[in-house]
Amino acid sequence: MGIIRELSEQLANRIAAGEVVERPASVVKELVENAIDAGATKVDVDLQEAGIRLIKVRDNGHGFHEEDAARAFLRHATSKIRDEHDLFRIRTLGFRGEALASIASVSHVSLKSKRADEDGFEMTLEGGVVTATNPAATNVGTEIAVSQLFFNTPARLKYLKTSATELASITDTLNRLALSHPEIRFTVFHEEKELLRTNGNGDLKQVMLAIYGRQVAAQIVTASSKTNDYMLSAHLVRPEVTRSNKQYVTLILNGRSIKNFALTQSVLEGYHTLLPIGRYPIAVLEVKMDPMLIDVNVHPTKREVRLSKEKELCQLIRETVQLTLREQCLIPSVKQEPKPKHVTPSEQSKLDFSMESQPKQADTLEWNYPIPRERKESLTSPSQWNPAPLVHEPEPEMLQQEQVEEPVRQSERLPALDVIGQLHSSYIICGAEDGMYVMDQHAAQERIKYELFYEQLGRPEKEYQLLLIPLTLEFTQEETLAIEEVLPLLADAGITLEPFGGNTFLVREIPTWYPQHDLEGTIRDLVEMAIQQRSIDIAKYREEVSILMACKRSIKANHPLNMEMMRQLIDDLSRTTSPFTCPHGRPILVKWSTYELEKLFKRVM
Ligand code: ADP
Ligand code: MG
């Protein structure tokens, strides 16, 4: 007797569900995408216990024909005509009408639906088996309620993370869907608590406002650009607001949220030196392109997408982001709190030199600047000082869902600064027409040197100086092998390593502008950076080299300067392209406006 048997439909669906329905967020994604495909302009999501107890999605789309309903829960049942070159289809290809069947096989489902010209009905299923169908009074559209998810697959249920993690994953999924569809009105509730509400007016900024809050939304700058193959529209949150991971960079390709490492990386490179190390921006980038340029050969359940002209798009993104941000002024300013509040010493040290534009829980950036504590206190001793960015912050009542304030744009020019003096051999105090500025001398010099070195590195002809005694450098075997590969990168940075037997190399000459002290250390750093970044392009390497050298060569804090030197520094700084942040993303200037000073002295109210 043979032992091979055909699997029952239910069992086959349950096995398929293992691939399609990984966690509650996957169910949410499939149901909401179906609603969008049904032409909905309004989608309401209700959740209980992070979706495990209940996921209910209601839409005002075209609805089901009653006779189609049972069929829709069979595997490979679909009403959608597929074109495999369309991105939307690529994503659903793997499901091929499997989503509803898979979801139903591992849960209890209740479907209520009505088409405009037909009667409404209700259908219930348990583990994929229809248990009842009845007429029902309901509005045009569809409501699908999925309850007791994974009730018959205990292993899957056990594998779920904590409900906080599952809910976070659902929220991320829904945020991305909302960002991809500003024209759809979304509401999301978890156990009666509202998680998201968008107004569906088609304005992406409004969706960002709904997701990230008004303080973030007030910092959005927009840009658009295109090449022959791509159209890009970018919504960038200015770098005063950052996050601790890359998840807040959203890529939307032809109306679908996607994942792509190289494109995300290009966004980060565009922000680059404006962000502190280890911090990431909030940004939404929409790309429109010919679907033919999308590589279809990618696992369909993943959001990961590959493009055939990816480099071109990366460059477009990097340059657009960089240019847009460069046009913005980035001076943080010190603003007085309306009501003095008590600040503990530990809070005080956090407030100093921070540019927090919003409350703590909003995960804004903190500038951890290494200044000895006593100095910090003397600089910002009035405890009611509360530093805040210079951007105009709209009054709460001015900013409803319907409008988002444009941040005040400023040209990236230094105001005319008169040097008053130096504080603690580290800060330059300046007067200007509109108030008082304090400049961090080390950060200022880093910016100046950085731009200088970057420019020098970009020159095709470099001026070299011969070393009196060639430098002998010994590397490990592993490094020696890797060095072969990075010789062009090193040559671009002006370093020629001449093999000298074994793992030893000679350096005979260096560019004239190289830092003189700790030459060996500098060259070792350059080699190490080159090895680490083998695959990275020359422009990126140049930037890294410039940052490294600028830091090495800049005057440190704790260095007395005379008036002449301070004026020179300001003059040099005013010639840079980004005079407000150092290459590591820290602020160079902090401002107290005349008004704020007068307020402090109670001359104005
Ligand atoms: P697919 O979306 O790949 O076609 P699904 O299993 O997700 O497969 O859905 C099966 C079919 O059920 C769809 O092709 C569509 O005809 C119908 N359907 C699903 N959800 C809805 C909805 N919210 N409104 C109207 N029709 C729907
Ligand atoms: Mg579907």
Side-chain angles (χ1 to χ4, degrees):
M1 254 250 272
I3 53 166
I4 299 177
R5 232 162 279 164
E6 234 180 286
L7 293 176
S8 72
E9 169 89 11
Q10 272 84 27
L11 193 52
N13 283 342
R14 216 187 288 173
I15 291 167
E19 293 162 24
V20 181
V21 190
E22 243 185 326
R23 54 203 296 193
S26 350
V27 176
V28 172
K29 180 166 183 279
E30 293 302 328
L31 296 183
V32 173
E33 284 186 343
N34 279 346
I36 295 170
D37 291 344
T41 56
K42 190 172 183 322
V43 176
D44 300 306
V45 181
D46 278 306
L47 304 160
Q48 276 176 26
E49 280 178 27
I52 295 158
R53 185 195 277 273
L54 176 74
I55 297 170
K56 188 158 80 185
V57 175
R58 194 170 42 249
D59 68 59
N60 64 352
H62 55 57
F64 279 82
H65 293 289
E66 189 171 343
E67 67 264 32
D68 278 345
R71 219 172 307 143
F73 288 92
L74 294 175
R75 279 178 88 196
H76 310 300
T78 178
S79 62
K80 295 166 196 169
I81 302 149
R82 301 194 188 296
D83 167 356
E84 62 186 52
H85 296 302
D86 181 289
L87 175 63
F88 161 67
R89 266 62 179 181
I90 290 162
R91 191 206 56 76
T92 53
L93 256 184
F95 302 111
R96 280 173 260 227
E98 282 178 329
L100 285 186
S102 302
I103 293 167
S105 74
V106 291
S107 67
H108 289 198
V109 172
S110 142
L111 163 75
K112 258 192 225 166
S113 192
K114 176 178 157 45
R115 290 181 67 95
D117 46 358
E118 295 174 15
D119 291 333
F121 66 94
E122 186 172 14
M123 193 171 99
T124 53
L125 299 96
E126 271 173 38
V129 182
V130 177
T131 50
T133 311
N134 290 303
T138 178
N139 294 331
V140 173
T142 302
E143 179 184 292
I144 298 187
V146 174
S147 54
Q148 299 180 50
L149 187 59
F150 302 132
F151 78 100
N152 52 0
T153 53
R156 177 68 61 173
L157 197 58
K158 225 173 111 185
Y159 161 89
L160 291 180
K161 309 253 168 56
T162 64
S163 43
T165 310
E166 294 302 336
L167 187 60
S169 169
I170 293 177
T171 310
D172 181 56
T173 302
L174 286 164
N175 286 350
R176 286 172 195 282
L177 286 161
L179 288 167
S180 322
H181 295 280
E183 76 288 359
I184 295 178
R185 230 176 336 147
F186 285 94
T187 67
V188 179
F189 283 87
H190 182 247
E191 289 159 16
E192 277 75 61
K193 185 170 178 283
E194 182 177 297
L195 299 184
L196 180 69
R197 178 183 293 275
T198 68
N199 65 11
N201 73 353
D203 181 0
L204 181 58
K205 236 184 209 179
Q206 293 298 332
V207 182
M208 291 178 76
L209 170 73
I211 294 174
Y212 302 119
R214 79 180 170 84
Q215 271 156 325
V216 171
Q219 309 265 16
I220 296 171
V221 294
T222 56
S224 53
S225 56
K226 62 177 177 183
T227 64
N228 285 339
D229 299 305
Y230 298 107
M231 271 171 58
L232 172 67
S233 146
H235 281 69
L236 310 170
V237 174
R238 307 200 324 162
E240 282 96 326
V241 186
T242 62
R243 293 289 192 258
S244 60
N245 63 61
K246 288 185 223 173
Q247 205 193 323
Y248 300 87
V249 175
T250 305
L251 302 169
I252 297 166
L253 186 57
N254 291 354
R256 296 266 154 187
S257 143
I258 60 147
K259 255 189 187 163
N260 177 298
F261 180 79
L263 299 186
T264 304
Q265 217 48 31
S266 308
V267 178
L268 302 183
E269 283 165 19
Y271 272 86
H272 200 49
T273 61
L274 300 173
L275 292 172
I277 289 158
R279 304 293 302 182
Y280 300 90
I282 303 173
V284 181
L285 288 99
E286 295 176 277
V287 177
K288 294 246 158 51
M289 65 182 287
D290 180 346
M292 295 295 280
L293 283 171
I294 301 166
D295 184 349
V296 294
N297 210 0
V298 178
H299 194 281
T301 62
K302 299 258 166 71
R303 285 197 294 128
E304 190 80 39
V305 159
R306 257 182 272 139
L307 311 170
S308 54
K309 289 196 185 175
E310 197 170 275
K311 277 222 164 110
E312 181 187 320
L313 181 56
C314 282
Q315 191 184 350
L316 181 70
I317 290 178
R318 191 168 48 231
E319 289 175 2
T320 306
V321 173
Q322 197 169 26
L323 262 170
T324 311
L325 295 173
R326 279 242 171 112
E327 279 165 14
Q328 309 300 315
C329 159
L330 301 160
I331 315 182
S333 100
V334 178
K335 197 171 84 185
Q336 196 185 6
E337 277 270 276
K339 271 178 264 132
K341 63 171 189 198
H342 179 70
V343 180
T344 65
S346 70
E347 280 172 342
Q348 180 66 51
S349 67
K350 274 192 187 154
L351 285 173
D352 294 344
F353 280 85
S354 71
M355 296 203 333
E356 286 163 351
S357 54
Q358 44 173 359
K360 266 275 171 307
Q361 74 271 18
D363 188 21
T364 50
L365 82 125
E366 284 166 33
W367 300 97
N368 290 321
Y369 205 50
I371 306 164
R373 269 205 57 74
E374 320 81 72
R375 295 220 193 116
K376 287 185 179 181
E377 260 149 27
S378 59
L379 250 176
T380 52
S381 48
S383 59
Q384 65 269 44
W385 282 118
N386 183 20
L390 190 60
V391 286
H392 168 68
E393 212 187 81
E395 295 299 316
E397 63 273 19
M398 281 169 59
L399 210 137
Q400 271 111 40
Q401 279 271 82
E402 286 67 43
Q403 53 158 141
V404 178
E405 279 287 306
E406 279 283 337
V408 175
R409 292 182 182 217
Q410 299 181 33
S411 68
E412 203 164 357
R413 279 284 178 77
L414 276 191
L417 298 174
D418 288 328
V419 177
I420 295 169
Q422 194 187 25
L423 180 76
H424 298 314
S425 306
S426 302
Y427 304 100
I428 302 172
I429 316 285
C430 306
E433 216 174 53
D434 58 346
M436 180 175 87
Y437 288 75
V438 178
M439 178 184 295
D440 177 328
Q441 66 192 38
H442 177 66
Q445 244 214 347
E446 274 193 344
R447 168 54 65 186
I448 297 163
K449 296 281 180 205
Y450 165 76
E451 295 201 1
L452 186 83
F453 293 155
Y454 191 77
E455 202 254 332
Q456 294 277 6
L457 281 166
R459 288 193 183 169
E461 305 272 300
K462 293 185 177 67
E463 266 179 45
Y464 288 95
Q465 74 182 84
L466 263 175
L467 296 173
L468 278 178
I469 308 161
L471 207 61
T472 317
L473 296 169
E474 210 188 324
F475 294 95
T476 65
Q477 179 63 41
E478 209 185 329
E479 283 167 337
T480 304
L481 290 172
I483 282 171
E484 297 285 310
E485 287 177 54
V486 298
L487 288 176
L489 273 184
L490 291 171
D492 187 73
I495 296 295
T496 308
L497 288 181
E498 191 181 307
F500 195 60
N503 297 334
T504 309
F505 292 82
L506 286 189
V507 177
R508 292 184 191 277
E509 56 179 12
I510 55 165
T512 45
W513 49 271
Y514 257 49
Q516 293 296 318
H517 73 273
D518 190 27
L519 188 57
E520 180 173 341
T522 305
I523 294 175
R524 281 192 179 279
D525 286 348
L526 296 183
V527 172
E528 197 176 301
M529 263 166 45
I531 291 174
Q532 272 171 13
Q533 307 185 349
R534 257 174 274 196
S535 54
I536 275 172
D537 59 43
I538 284 195
K540 172 92 179 123
Y541 182 67
R542 267 181 208 165
E543 203 154 317
E544 298 281 332
V545 171
S546 310
I547 292 175
L548 174 87
M549 299 235 216
C551 189
K552 280 193 186 248
R553 274 196 63 173
S554 296
I555 36 171
K556 300 289 175 218
N558 251 329
H559 191 100
L561 301 174
N562 64 29
M563 293 300 263
E564 197 44 51
M565 291 155 99
M566 290 190 269
R567 285 198 195 102
Q568 184 63 50
L569 190 68
I570 290 170
D571 197 44
D572 291 346
L573 183 66
S574 70
R575 286 175 222 280
T576 61
T577 56
S578 300
F580 300 110
T581 41
C582 85
H584 299 101
R586 293 188 290 257
I588 293 172
L589 284 161
V590 175
K591 175 191 173 185
W592 282 259
S593 74
T594 310
Y595 176 73
E596 283 149 2
L597 289 171
E598 284 178 345
K599 246 180 131 174
L600 258 192
F601 290 110
K602 310 267 181 242
R603 289 178 171 276
V604 291
M605 292 309 283

